Amino acid sequence: MLFKIRTLFDSMAVTPLYLYLFLFLGPSNFSNSPFAHGFPSSSSDTTMHTNNWAVLVCTSRFWFNYRHMANTLSLYRTVKRLGIPDERIILMLADDMACNARNKYPAQVFNNENHKLNLYGDNVEVDYRGYEVTVENFLRVLTGRHETAVPRSKRLLSDEGSHILLYMTGHGGDEFLKFQDSEELQSHDLADAVKQMKEKRRFKELLIMVDTCQAATLFSQLQSPGVLAIGSSMKGENSYSHHLDSDVGVSVVDRFTFYTLAFFERLNMYDNASLSSLFNSYNPSTLMSTAYYRTDLYQRRLEEVPVTNFFGSVMETIHTDAAYRAPSRKTSGRADIKTSPDKMVTDDQIKTTTNSNVLDQSSDQKQADQACPFARLMSSFKNKVQTVEEADSLVNYGLVTMIPLLLLSTLL
Amino acid sequence: MAETEAPRPRQRPIVRLGIFLISHSFSFSVVCCTAGVLALLLLPILAKNTYISENALMPGSANPMLSNQDVLEANRFVKDLIALNSKPRGSGIESQRLIAQYMKDLGAEVNYHKFHPQITQFHPLQFFSSPDSGTVERNISCSFHGVNTVGITRAPRGDGKEAIVLVTPYNSQKIKQAEALSLGTAYSVFSLLSRVTWLAKDIIWLVSDSQHGEYAAVSAWLRDYHIPMFTRLHTVNAETCPDINYLYDVRDNSVTGRKIYDGFKRAGTMAAALVIKVVDRSETFDDNLNIYAEASNGQMPNLDLINIVNYLAVHRQGFRVKVEKLWSLLDSKWLKNLGELFESVGQVVSSINPQWKFGIPAADYTEGIATLASSLYNQALGVPTGPHGAFRDYQVDAITLELSPRASVDKIIRQNDFLLRGGRLIEGVILSVNNLLEKFHQSFFLYLLTSPGKFVSVGVYMIAFALLVAPLPMVAASLYADAINLNSSQNNEKTVADEPGTALRSLKWVNAAKKVFVVHLWGSVVSLLPYFICQIPNRSPTVSFIIWFLLSVLSFFIMFLILASPFSHAKESQLHLREWAILKSVTMSATFIGLCLMSVINFSTAELGGLLLVPMCLMAQPMRRDIRVGSLSTLSRLAYNLVFCLIGFPPVTFVLLKGAFEGFNSINVGDFWCWVESLWAWSSATYLYIGMVHLPCWVLCIHILFHHC
């Protein structure tokens, strides 16, 4: 929406009229008033998706919970493969199965009995391990309220353009998830943390994926918009492990995670599979539980959202002709801040002293944009007409009607 | 009364219920006792299937790794061991050297442990405490020692804080084929475990020298394991015992050149222990596995340990698992009839509602009762059923696995197969225990087995006991209330406010309590007498028993003369018309307390004791009254009383039970003494129960029976 308005202005920028408008309203007014104050509550809705984060949590200890660590490491591998870099993955593992004395394959973790894929290879960065994985630390990661000494690598440094994947596995029950052997995270805690994140604009969209028994109950208290939740089982259902590795002597992967991974193994970074296709891939008979999705807080249609929006780092890119004219409001805001020092002087001074200067700049800009200004104008108008139909049309038409007024005022 | 006192507050329901029960104590006690016995008989039906309670165990989740190669190695070991028999000299030392050599070749840490078996002696002050190592007598001759061989495999990546123990008892003087096979089974597992990477707990293989008894060797090793000794015993012995010197001499010029550490090697705390025995019983159908679990005083290992062994043996290795049964019960007619009755009741119930699962086949029922009876008997005896009992004293869960091969194990193929399956079973159990993070604690410790896969937990079997003993306090209260009412009505007839009468009334209760107390005191004196009898040299069991008996009777009369005489001259008083009733009421209270206390210490003793004592206590009535009335019912009661009092006398009970199970022709008066001796040698609480609860109660019942009134 915001973006569309921006394109409108972009299209107008080629004309000198735009300049006048710019000068008339004043740069600071322009950047702050209509957008920051006009749409304060829905700012993240209107923000571009600019980055991806993943928080992957294994909450259970002990050798017989091997599969939970294998689940988490498999997901870690998948999201890394699909393009989320290590510094944007917070990996929390409550125990170290790889170095457990009972592990027949020291320093290796497998999620399949064929032992083809060692999940605990060289490039695994575990951010929180062992007894560091507590409810407190988990909530601190989500809400970003760390002690000052916590390094950046252990923080979730997301912003309002972030898509976050939150994956949790362990032992759950009705509205709780067990952490380690002593604590539990309740659905209220999770909902509260997500709400705080929303208030602090720490995400644009959040996908919570939980593989525990009665996973659906963990989502019952969520109320923040932009949150999508998938659980492996409904209330009263158990989530089962997929198969037992009779060599290692433990179950190595859970069913829900196994079929999730099976879905992703077919994909690469460039695939366009939608979230709904992922959700539809869960078969209750093979899962032995009913996967549950909570979509009522999520605005977009699942058919239109590629899974790589969350599991990869693929986001919508906007082609712009100018190298440094990023379309997002946020980045443009940054640009404004950067350019502001020479515009800090009051408006009437600018009018007289820097007029030519600005004109020169704009003429330079014109040179750069030279390609075919009128064709661009026409095409962007056409685009606008095609795309702008609903709620924002009123604003656009208002702005369009301002043009003759401005013309009139300049003539006068 | 109620009409005159209008505003009288209603009593609380619990009080009214109590009064109701006391006033109907006769029918109440009949119903409760019947229900108690019936509940005991119903236990096999109420038994639940066992299940693995601890998540971490995961039995059978990994494929066994024990291969034929290990079995071949074990076979070589067995052959070498048996070949030693043909050698003339010092076979004991030779076999220990051989075992140590084999262990060392596997890369294990080896040491010898010399021990002197403890002399079983009655120490009244150390009854429940295990005898401390300082009391070991030093001047035992050298021939009277044993040498255990201990091999320890350290877990390659473990923290070394925990260990699993394998025990194979064998007689170092003469190695039998079956014993050699048990050593071979353990060796095959040990050799595998010395190679694997997945150990989290150290493995201790204790080859115990059973020439002085299997239990003694294991308990001596455990004592030294847990109680560090700073005086080096073997250096003391070294001067006097050439055999031991020889053992260490050989060590130095052994082929490998590696020294055998002559101190005591330890690993971490023990998570579990398995005693492996092979017996050559030539089973007809299948390879058999007998599980023995009872330790001293009816303590049982955690049920999970039995569960994993049972699960792996049945579902993985195809053994036929058994627990001990009283075989004589299997053929009894009345049990079969009872089983059929329960079966038909079960069918009726399931026809009413298929949801209700009640009733098992009659054959299963008799098996269940036989197993349950054996379980109860072994627990009640309080004597461990094997070397695993020594571990329980240190709170280590342990069981004995007694493997018996199908046919004779002489055929080499059969033997290999047997070794492979036995080894894989033990490997599986060790793998499961290795997965444990803590001690066994999830499953039951208080249970009775009715088959290897079924158990009765404490919550169920306590019901039978509670029903059985519930009449005691009720009847006691009712008797007391009756006696008081009778007296007070008499008092009312004479004088309304008779001060000395009320004083005497309360005094009478005190008198009865005093009498009961004196008899219990006598009971403890009787329990202490064996300590003095043991000091007499050169006595046969029969003589000891007779001395004990005579001393007991003597002490009884002495005590009665000194302590109980004061109230003997008050008996003419009219007030003591119902004195026997009050005495009976106090006796019942004391018995009730004694039984309940015992049920906490050893349930089975209390249950079996209750079966004997409760009917005797409830029915005890002065004989003279019954004879005086002379009707059929009173005479039958008299006969009943006499029979129960005869059965209730501990030596008679013992003789009857022994006769019932083993035949009467081999019975000797001294047997009872031997039995009692074994009880205190194992510091069984049953001994204390017999002396302090059962015997006094019996004497008091006899006293009531012969009471003059």
Side-chain angles (χ1 to χ4, degrees):
Chain A
M1 155 74 198
L2 178 70
F3 152 67
K4 284 160 193 163
I5 297 164
R6 297 294 312 168
T7 51
L8 176 68
F9 278 100
D10 287 347
S11 64
M12 294 195 314
V14 293
T15 64
L17 296 175
Y18 169 65
L19 254 182
Y20 287 113
L21 170 71
F22 193 84
L23 291 170
F24 183 69
L25 293 171
S28 56
N29 282 348
F30 174 75
S31 62
N32 291 334
S33 54
F35 302 104
H37 295 180
F39 312 97
S41 60
S42 60
S43 64
S44 65
D45 298 341
T46 51
T47 320
M48 275 292 297
H49 167 207
T50 54
N51 56 71
N52 267 89
W53 285 81
V55 181
L56 311 173
V57 195
C58 154
T59 63
S60 40
R61 292 192 74 72
F62 307 137
W63 173 240
F64 59 92
N65 291 322
Y66 184 97
R67 61 183 188 280
H68 293 148
M69 184 171 159
N71 285 345
T72 315
L73 282 172
S74 318
L75 245 291
Y76 171 79
R77 179 184 162 275
T78 302
V79 296
K80 245 171 102 169
R81 186 173 65 85
L82 292 177
I84 304 184
D86 240 342
E87 66 263 22
R88 295 203 171 166
I89 302 175
I90 309 288
L91 181 58
M92 304 174 96
L93 298 178
D95 203 348
D96 190 357
M97 299 307 164
C99 298
N100 194 307
R102 296 165 184 87
N103 193 349
K104 199 173 164 187
Y105 301 93
Q108 297 182 68
V109 176
F110 299 104
N111 70 353
N112 200 312
E113 61 182 342
N114 61 20
H115 295 173
K116 278 187 183 148
L117 178 66
N118 174 22
L119 299 168
Y120 211 66
D122 297 332
N123 297 320
V124 177
E125 277 180 26
V126 186
D127 298 295
Y128 291 83
R129 68 164 77 235
Y131 288 111
E132 280 182 339
V133 182
T134 57
V135 172
E136 184 190 334
N137 276 348
F138 173 71
L139 293 178
R140 281 184 186 283
V141 165
L142 287 190
T143 54
R145 297 163 65 152
H146 291 283
E147 310 240 332
T148 43
V150 174
R152 279 176 69 82
S153 66
K154 294 177 108 173
R155 293 171 187 242
L156 179 69
L157 298 166
S158 57
D159 53 42
E160 56 194 315
S162 301
H163 278 194
I164 301 178
L165 166 70
L166 172 58
Y167 175 84
M168 293 188 279
T169 181
H171 290 285
D174 193 0
E175 305 222 349
F176 73 87
L177 169 60
K178 212 170 107 174
F179 263 69
Q180 303 280 359
D181 208 22
S182 51
E183 310 179 275
E184 54 196 40
L185 173 81
Q186 296 208 343
S187 57
H188 292 87
D189 304 334
L190 181 68
D192 185 53
V194 171
K195 198 170 181 181
Q196 278 191 50
M197 289 169 80
K198 190 73 194 172
E199 296 273 313
K200 294 166 97 176
R201 295 181 191 168
R202 286 172 62 76
F203 67 86
K204 178 163 157 30
E205 286 176 10
L206 172 65
L207 172 60
I208 306 177
M209 189 177 226
V210 179
D211 189 353
T212 67
C213 297
Q214 313 200 39
T217 57
L218 203 62
F219 312 137
S220 59
Q221 307 296 330
L222 291 173
Q223 39 180 289
S224 313
V227 179
L228 185 61
I230 319 178
S232 60
S233 50
M234 305 283 283
K235 183 174 178 174
E237 284 184 340
N238 287 336
S239 293
Y240 294 98
S241 63
H242 184 261
H243 68 270
L244 183 116
D245 184 341
S246 49
D247 222 11
V248 183
V250 283
S251 303
V252 286
V253 69
D254 278 318
R255 281 177 178 269
F256 178 75
T257 307
F258 180 85
Y259 289 107
T260 308
L261 293 172
F263 177 84
F264 281 110
E265 280 307 301
R266 296 196 302 269
L267 299 185
N268 62 28
M269 220 183 278
Y270 309 106
D271 272 310
N272 250 343
S274 68
L275 275 178
S276 68
S277 68
L278 168 66
F279 290 4
N280 292 331
S281 73
Y282 297 123
N283 181 355
S285 62
T286 54
L287 229 52
M288 293 168 76
S289 59
T290 326
Y292 167 86
Y293 334 110
R294 185 164 172 198
T295 51
D296 57 332
L297 300 170
Y298 194 68
Q299 290 89 355
R300 292 199 283 166
R301 295 185 60 219
L302 295 183
E303 290 82 10
E304 291 165 3
V305 187
V307 283
T308 44
N309 261 210
F310 289 101
F311 292 88
S313 201
V314 177
M315 52 205 84
E316 200 181 347
T317 47
I318 312 302
H319 176 78
T320 53
D321 298 295
Y324 293 104
R325 301 190 56 192
S328 128
R329 185 199 67 86
K330 191 175 155 46
T331 41
S332 74
R334 270 187 201 152
D336 281 348
I337 292 161
K338 277 174 194 162
T339 53
S340 57
D342 51 352
K343 292 179 182 175
M344 285 299 271
V345 276
T346 50
D347 290 352
D348 40 3
Q349 281 175 327
I350 297 168
K351 267 179 197 169
T352 51
T353 54
T354 63
N355 209 344
S356 57
N357 214 352
V358 174
L359 269 171
D360 289 346
Q361 278 182 356
S362 69
S363 65
D364 289 348
Q365 213 168 32
K366 235 191 307 187
Q367 301 299 320
D369 293 351
Q370 203 48 259
C372 183
F374 284 103
R376 276 182 50 81
L377 181 67
M378 285 310 290
S379 67
S380 62
F381 259 103
K382 207 186 282 173
N383 280 341
K384 182 193 71 184
V385 169
Q386 278 167 357
T387 53
V388 177
E389 280 157 0
E390 299 107 26
D392 44 357
S393 56
L394 185 69
V395 183
N396 291 340
Y397 288 133
L399 287 165
V400 169
T401 50
M402 279 176 74
I403 296 167
L405 283 171
L406 283 163
L407 276 171
L408 200 67
S409 64
T410 44
L411 284 172
L412 287 171
Chain B
M1 288 263 287
E3 290 92 60
T4 52
E5 293 167 3
R8 187 182 164 208
R10 280 175 67 83
Q11 280 166 315
R12 283 188 293 172
I14 185 96
V15 177
R16 274 186 288 147
L17 181 71
I19 289 169
F20 174 79
L21 287 179
I22 288 168
S23 57
H24 295 81
S25 66
F26 177 73
S27 46
F28 173 73
S29 56
V30 168
V31 168
C32 270
C33 273
T34 326
V37 175
L38 195 68
L40 189 65
L41 290 173
L42 273 175
L43 287 184
I45 295 171
L46 299 174
K48 286 191 282 183
N49 286 326
T50 54
Y51 55 94
I52 310 280
S53 199
E54 168 73 81
N55 279 331
L57 287 170
M58 301 185 292
S61 61
N63 286 335
M65 293 166 68
L66 195 83
S67 62
N68 281 315
Q69 188 60 40
D70 298 302
V71 170
L72 290 179
E73 287 288 305
N75 253 330
R76 197 163 58 85
F77 175 60
V78 169
K79 263 187 214 139
D80 286 359
L81 267 179
I82 291 173
L84 283 180
N85 275 341
S86 53
K87 286 190 184 173
R89 197 190 73 90
S91 151
I93 303 300
E94 287 296 328
S95 68
Q96 276 128 6
R97 272 189 55 222
L98 182 79
I99 293 164
Q101 189 59 48
Y102 266 87
M103 282 177 176
K104 251 194 324 183
D105 291 346
L106 292 175
E109 298 172 17
V110 186
N111 75 301
Y112 297 115
H113 168 247
K114 292 159 302 301
F115 65 96
H116 296 291
Q118 291 259 300
I119 296 138
T120 56
Q121 214 167 15
F122 185 63
H123 292 287
L125 292 180
Q126 297 171 354
F127 194 75
F128 280 121
S129 63
S130 62
D132 91 272
S133 53
T135 60
V136 177
E137 309 218 359
R138 302 292 171 137
N139 51 358
I140 307 161
S141 69
C142 283
S143 61
F144 205 61
H145 71 80
V147 179
N148 293 328
T149 318
V150 186
I152 300 176
T153 293
R154 304 281 175 192
R157 290 179 295 134
D159 51 9
K161 287 179 186 161
E162 285 181 301
I164 304 169
V165 188
L166 285 176
V167 183
T168 45
Y170 87 114
N171 188 348
S172 59
Q173 297 304 312
K174 172 88 179 137
I175 304 166
K176 279 181 265 166
Q177 168 81 10
E179 277 175 346
L181 263 184
S182 73
L183 282 169
T185 314
Y187 175 79
S188 64
V189 178
F190 196 67
S191 75
L192 170 79
L193 294 177
S194 64
R195 285 183 277 119
V196 296
T197 53
W198 46 257
L199 278 183
K201 298 173 175 33
D202 299 342
I203 304 291
I204 306 174
W205 180 20
L206 168 68
V207 183
S208 69
D209 187 354
S210 67
Q211 55 175 319
H212 307 299
E214 290 171 356
Y215 185 92
V218 176
S219 79
W221 178 75
L222 276 171
R223 200 170 46 238
D224 287 353
Y225 191 94
H226 287 99
I227 305 162
M229 249 210 328
F230 299 106
T231 57
R232 304 182 90 186
L233 190 61
H234 73 268
T235 49
V236 180
N237 286 325
E239 295 119 35
T240 50
C241 301
D243 273 5
I244 288 177
N245 279 339
Y246 172 67
L247 198 68
Y248 283 94
D249 286 343
V250 171
R251 170 203 71 207
D252 288 333
N253 49 32
S254 62
V255 187
T256 54
R258 267 183 293 171
K259 273 193 145 190
I260 292 179
Y261 178 66
D262 53 351
F264 195 92
K265 284 260 181 197
R266 286 186 177 81
T269 51
M270 295 170 194
L274 299 171
V275 182
I276 302 153
K277 278 158 85 174
V278 176
V279 289
D280 202 354
R281 221 182 268 143
S282 294
E283 301 287 340
T284 42
F285 302 112
D286 244 330
D287 288 349
N288 258 342
L289 169 65
N290 269 308
I291 298 176
Y292 296 92
E294 287 87 1
S296 57
N297 279 321
Q299 296 180 85
M300 298 291 276
N302 196 285
L303 188 55
D304 265 344
L305 184 61
I306 296 177
N307 287 345
I308 50 175
V309 170
N310 182 39
Y311 176 84
L312 288 170
V314 172
H315 297 287
R316 290 291 185 275
Q317 304 306 330
F319 281 96
R320 176 192 289 260
V321 181
K322 286 180 184 170
V323 282
E324 231 180 327
K325 275 177 225 166
L326 281 184
W327 293 99
S328 49
L329 279 179
L330 277 181
D331 309 324
S332 64
K333 259 282 182 311
W334 67 273
L335 264 183
K336 267 180 200 152
N337 292 337
L338 197 66
E340 276 156 18
L341 176 72
F342 283 136
E343 192 182 353
S344 53
V345 168
Q347 278 162 357
V348 170
V349 165
S350 59
S351 68
I352 294 167
N353 187 347
Q355 297 286 308
W356 295 339
K357 294 268 189 292
F358 182 84
I360 50 173
D364 286 4
Y365 177 79
T366 26
E367 291 246 327
I369 281 281
T371 317
L372 184 75
S374 155
S375 200
L376 266 177
Y377 170 74
N378 279 325
Q379 287 190 17
L381 207 56
V383 175
T385 48
H388 58 266
F391 286 94
R392 193 65 232 169
D393 296 342
Y394 299 91
Q395 305 306 311
V396 178
D397 295 292
I399 50 173
T400 296
L401 308 178
E402 195 186 78
L403 301 157
S404 47
R406 181 173 53 197
S408 176
V409 285
D410 294 336
K411 290 187 189 107
I412 194 76
I413 298 166
R414 273 294 305 148
Q415 183 177 322
N416 280 356
D417 179 50
F418 178 74
L419 278 177
L420 187 69
R421 283 161 64 203
R424 284 186 168 176
L425 168 68
I426 289 152
E427 183 204 342
V429 176
I430 284 177
L431 182 69
S432 273
V433 177
N434 185 55
N435 283 339
L436 264 188
L437 301 150
E438 297 145 310
K439 283 169 66 110
F440 281 102
H441 66 280
Q442 290 279 3
S443 198
F444 292 93
F445 284 100
L446 300 169
Y447 57 90
L448 296 164
L449 288 174
T450 63
S451 83
K454 286 195 155 193
F455 74 103
V456 187
S457 77
V458 58
V460 177
Y461 68 58
M462 277 310 267
I463 295 170
F465 177 73
L467 284 172
L468 194 64
V469 296
L472 287 180
M474 291 300 159
V475 173
S478 137
L479 277 175
Y480 182 71
D482 284 354
I484 294 295
N485 284 343
L486 192 69
N487 285 335
S488 57
S489 61
Q490 284 172 352
N491 284 355
N492 285 344
E493 281 163 23
K494 285 199 289 181
T495 46
V496 181
D498 191 358
E499 284 301 316
T502 49
L504 274 172
R505 209 164 70 203
S506 57
L507 189 72
K508 190 173 56 177
W509 174 80
V510 173
N511 277 338
K514 192 171 149 193
K515 205 182 245 179
V516 171
F517 174 73
V518 167
V519 173
H520 277 87
L521 201 66
W522 168 76
S524 37
V525 169
V526 170
S527 321
L528 284 178
L529 283 176
Y531 175 61
F532 302 103
I533 299 171
C534 280
Q535 311 293 327
I536 305 167
N538 303 328
R539 68 217 141 71
S540 74
T542 317
V543 172
S544 306
F545 176 68
I546 290 166
I547 294 173
W548 190 25
F549 185 80
L550 291 177
L551 277 178
S552 304
V553 173
L554 187 69
S555 61
F556 182 74
F557 281 113
I558 292 169
M559 275 215 154
F560 229 79
L561 281 176
I562 297 169
L563 293 164
S565 53
F567 68 97
S568 60
H569 44 71
K571 67 182 91 154
E572 292 88 23
S573 164
Q574 191 71 1
L575 291 173
H576 289 239
L577 186 68
R578 303 266 292 175
E579 196 225 326
W580 69 270
I582 296 214
L583 182 64
K584 185 176 166 184
S585 128
V586 178
T587 306
M588 282 174 140
S589 312
T591 312
F592 177 71
I593 292 167
L595 282 175
C596 285
L597 277 178
M598 195 57 211
S599 77
V600 177
I601 299 166
N602 188 345
F603 168 80
S604 302
T605 310
E607 174 74 48
L608 293 182
L611 283 176
L612 286 172
L613 282 188
V614 171
M616 185 167 81
C617 276
L618 286 178
M619 298 296 280
Q621 287 245 14
M623 215 155 45
R624 287 187 200 178
R625 268 165 53 106
D626 285 345
I627 295 169
R628 215 181 297 148
V629 176
S631 72
L632 186 67
S633 64
T634 52
L635 283 180
S636 60
R637 182 166 66 192
L638 176 69
Y640 170 93
N641 272 335
L642 284 175
V643 167
F644 257 92
C645 282
L646 188 66
I647 293 175
F649 185 47
V652 177
T653 320
F654 172 76
V655 166
L656 285 176
L657 279 177
K658 198 170 155 61
F661 292 122
E662 291 170 22
F664 283 94
N665 38 15
S666 64
I667 285 178
N668 182 352
V669 189
D671 285 353
F672 184 70
W673 174 264
C674 294
W675 182 71
V676 169
E677 206 169 35
S678 79
L679 283 187
W680 81 62
W682 296 103
S683 53
S684 163
T686 308
Y687 177 72
L688 290 187
Y689 164 80
I690 290 173
M692 316 254 256
V693 180
H694 196 106
L695 192 64
C697 176
W698 177 79
V699 168
L700 285 164
C701 282
I702 293 285
H703 181 67
I704 293 164
L705 204 61
F706 291 98
H707 201 275
H708 46 78
C709 58

